């Protein structure tokens, strides 16, 4: 059987007792969980902050800015509530995504298959790294235990709903609506993050420029040996800011204080994850969040990540307002397209791509 060409869902539902070798993580990367444990438990007090943004109302802005600044500095991630996105829409995007993976026949799903030889191509897939990455000795060729569908949603010139699933019937409408709503939330958050640093409201959004937004629905099938695999290997996101929702199963973890902390699912909250370009723009005052996804042996899991990135032609560097003779730039300027190419060629492996831009003072 050619496991390399099979989708992870097909492997899982085929009843295999052991995962193929391509999915077995090296010992130092394996999660410390047993076959029957869904996630590592940790207390609510030891979890990412939950911030009520009060519908982004001006009356609460100073308080919210302070809370967001603390969360960005300490975690690089936080949940938000009262964000203005209808709860019904959150349920709908999770619902159409789950229906595609669970109810759509494989032959129909494959009609939307992405190009396996092109990084970040739109469509249904399982593998992310460029083929040449596998030839590099420094890059692990271990595969993630997940399938996904990536949608190019913004700018509107990239949005082509005919390349998205037609099943269920409202799939395309829901994704387009969700895209528009999440763009507004991301813009408001960039304003609050700018203000939390004492910067003009538009500072970070101006540095990022027009959003290039992708929505990735990830499906993590049940795994017969979760202690050997990862649903998504350790990484930090390459763009500016990621907005994520997950289902009730759980499995997302953030690396903080030298340990992995499971992010408890919150059905009506949105998880905000700072990405690498945010770390550069803030000159390291706020660091991107290193995270991963673990698997379990009993329940499939679904998440929806909405990435907001610069155009590939945009040059990213630390904000001038945050640098001085006493606080020089910590990161080299980078053209975002070059950063993306490096990320996909070398592979993620924690935060090595952003760390490679550090200036040795």
């Amino acid at each position: 059987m050619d496991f390399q060409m099979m989708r992870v869902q097909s492997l899982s539902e085929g009843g295999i007792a052991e995962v193929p070798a391509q999915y077995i993580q090296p010992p130092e990367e394996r999660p410390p969980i047993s076959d029957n444990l869904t996630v590592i438990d940790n207390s609510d007090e030891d979890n990412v902050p939950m911030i009520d943004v009060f519908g982004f109302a001006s009356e609460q802005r100073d308080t919210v800015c302070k809370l967001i600044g603390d969360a960005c500095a300490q975690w690089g991630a936080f949940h938000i509530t009262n964000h203005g996105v209808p709860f019904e829409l959150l349920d709908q995007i999770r619902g159409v995504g789950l229906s595609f993976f669970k109810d759509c026949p494989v032959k129909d799903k494959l009609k939307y298959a992405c190009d396996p030889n092109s990084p970040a191509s739109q469509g249904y897939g399982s593998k992310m790294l460029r083929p040449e990455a596998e030839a590099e000795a420094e890059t692990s060729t271990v595969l993630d235990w997940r399938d996904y569908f990536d949608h190019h949603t913004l700018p509107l010139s990239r949005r082509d709903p005919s390349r998205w699933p037609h099943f269920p019937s409202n799939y395309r409408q829901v994704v387009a609506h969700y895209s528009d709503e999440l763009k507004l939330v991301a813009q408001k958050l960039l304003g609050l993050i700018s203000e939390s640093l004492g910067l003009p409201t538009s500072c970070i959004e101006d540095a990022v420029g027009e959003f290039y937004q992708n929505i990735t629905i990830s499906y993590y099938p049940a795994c017969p040996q979760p202690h050997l695999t990862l649903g998504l290997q350790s990484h930090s996101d390459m763009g500016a800011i990621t907005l994520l929702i997950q289902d009730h199963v759980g499995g997302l973890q953030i690396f903080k204080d030298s340990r992995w902390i499971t992010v408890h699912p919150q059905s009506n909250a949105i998880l905000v994850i700072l990405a690498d370009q945010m770390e550069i723009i803030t000159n390291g005052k706020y660091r991107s969040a290193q995270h991963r996804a673990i698997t379990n042996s009993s329940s499939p899991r679904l998440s929806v990540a909405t990435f907001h990135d610069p155009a590939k032609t945009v040059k990213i560097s630390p904000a001038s307002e945050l640098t001085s003779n006493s606080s020089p730039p910590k990161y080299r300027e980078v053209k975002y397209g070059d950063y993306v190419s490096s990320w996909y060629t070398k592979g993620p492996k924690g935060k090595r791509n952003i760390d490679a831009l550090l200036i040795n003072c």
Side-chain angles (χ1 to χ4, degrees):
M1 183 181 295
D2 186 358
F3 291 123
Q4 189 82 4
M5 299 303 295
M6 291 192 68
R7 300 300 186 202
V8 177
Q9 185 178 0
S10 297
L11 292 175
S12 175
E13 294 177 356
I16 60 171
E18 298 180 352
V19 300
Q22 296 97 318
Y23 297 92
I24 297 178
Q25 295 288 328
E28 66 274 15
E29 299 294 336
R30 296 174 191 172
I33 59 177
S34 70
D35 282 349
N36 296 317
L37 188 62
T38 301
V39 297
I40 302 172
D41 192 27
N42 43 272
S43 67
D44 288 333
E45 291 75 18
D46 190 18
N47 214 278
V48 296
M50 181 76 71
I51 300 174
D52 186 340
V53 296
F54 297 98
F56 300 99
S58 58
E59 296 84 356
Q60 304 290 339
R61 197 167 184 88
D62 289 345
T63 300
V64 171
C65 277
K66 174 64 167 61
L67 293 172
I68 285 178
D70 290 345
C72 288
Q74 297 170 20
W75 286 84
F78 52 94
H79 278 117
I80 58 171
T81 61
N82 286 321
H83 41 66
V85 181
F87 295 165
E88 179 184 12
L89 183 58
L90 301 180
D91 290 337
Q92 286 176 334
I93 191 75
R94 283 186 288 246
V96 297
L98 185 61
S99 182
F100 172 76
F101 285 104
K102 293 292 289 182
D103 302 330
C104 192
V106 173
K107 64 180 179 61
D108 289 337
K109 286 203 280 275
L110 289 175
K111 293 176 182 177
Y112 298 100
C114 60
D115 180 356
N117 297 313
S118 176
S121 64
Q122 181 166 220
Y124 169 58
S126 298
K127 191 176 179 182
M128 292 182 64
L129 299 184
R130 288 181 178 176
E132 60 262 33
E134 298 178 14
E136 295 189 10
E138 65 174 338
T139 301
S140 169
T141 58
V142 178
L143 302 180
D144 295 327
W145 192 261
R146 74 157 187 158
D147 296 331
Y148 63 87
F149 200 108
D150 189 36
H151 314 73
H152 294 177
T153 45
L154 290 174
L156 291 177
S157 59
R158 298 171 70 233
R159 185 184 293 183
D160 181 4
S162 70
R163 299 190 61 185
W164 305 344
H166 66 287
F167 180 89
S169 61
N170 64 334
Y171 189 107
R172 296 170 180 176
Q173 177 185 0
V174 168
V175 171
H177 186 192
Y178 190 76
S179 164
D180 296 339
E181 290 283 342
L182 270 286
K183 174 189 176 183
L184 296 176
V185 173
Q187 288 174 320
K188 293 172 183 176
L189 285 168
L190 291 193
L192 287 167
I193 293 170
S194 289
E195 291 178 27
S196 75
L197 289 164
L199 301 172
T201 304
S202 65
C203 182
I204 294 178
E205 185 175 356
D206 290 344
V208 172
E210 183 179 24
F211 281 147
Y212 275 64
Q213 183 197 69
N214 285 13
I215 296 177
T216 301
I217 301 178
S218 294
Y219 184 78
Y220 303 91
C223 179
Q225 295 176 301
H227 59 293
L228 299 179
T229 62
L230 286 172
L232 196 59
Q233 62 189 289
S234 170
H235 69 289
S236 56
D237 293 340
M238 67 183 85
I241 192 169
T242 303
L243 305 180
L244 182 140
I245 60 173
Q246 53 180 333
D247 64 11
H248 66 284
V249 176
L252 177 66
Q253 296 185 323
I254 287 178
F255 192 69
K256 181 178 184 290
D257 298 333
S258 301
R259 65 192 182 101
W260 288 102
I261 297 175
T262 299
V263 179
H264 295 169
Q266 306 288 342
S267 61
N268 293 325
I270 295 174
L271 179 68
V272 181
I273 301 175
L274 301 192
D276 290 344
Q277 307 314 302
M278 184 76 75
E279 180 170 331
I280 297 172
I281 294 169
T282 65
N283 203 32
K285 293 183 181 298
Y286 297 159
R287 288 177 56 81
S288 57
Q290 183 176 345
H291 54 287
R292 70 180 184 182
I294 60 174
T295 64
N296 72 86
S297 60
S298 58
S299 301
R301 172 178 173 261
L302 184 122
S303 69
V304 183
T306 306
F307 304 96
H308 297 87
D309 304 341
K312 290 185 178 180
T313 55
V314 171
K315 294 181 178 179
I316 301 292
S317 60
S320 59
E321 296 92 336
L322 297 177
T323 62
S324 64
N325 290 336
S326 60
S327 180
K330 296 180 180 179
Y331 302 87
R332 299 194 307 274
E333 180 182 81
V334 65
K335 186 164 75 170
Y336 184 62
D338 294 340
Y339 191 84
V340 171
S341 178
S342 174
W343 197 99
Y344 277 108
T345 299
K346 293 180 179 179
K349 199 170 184 180
K351 296 190 61 170
R352 69 171 172 184
N353 289 290
I354 181 69
D355 289 345
L357 294 178
L358 285 167
I359 297 172
N360 296 319
C361 299

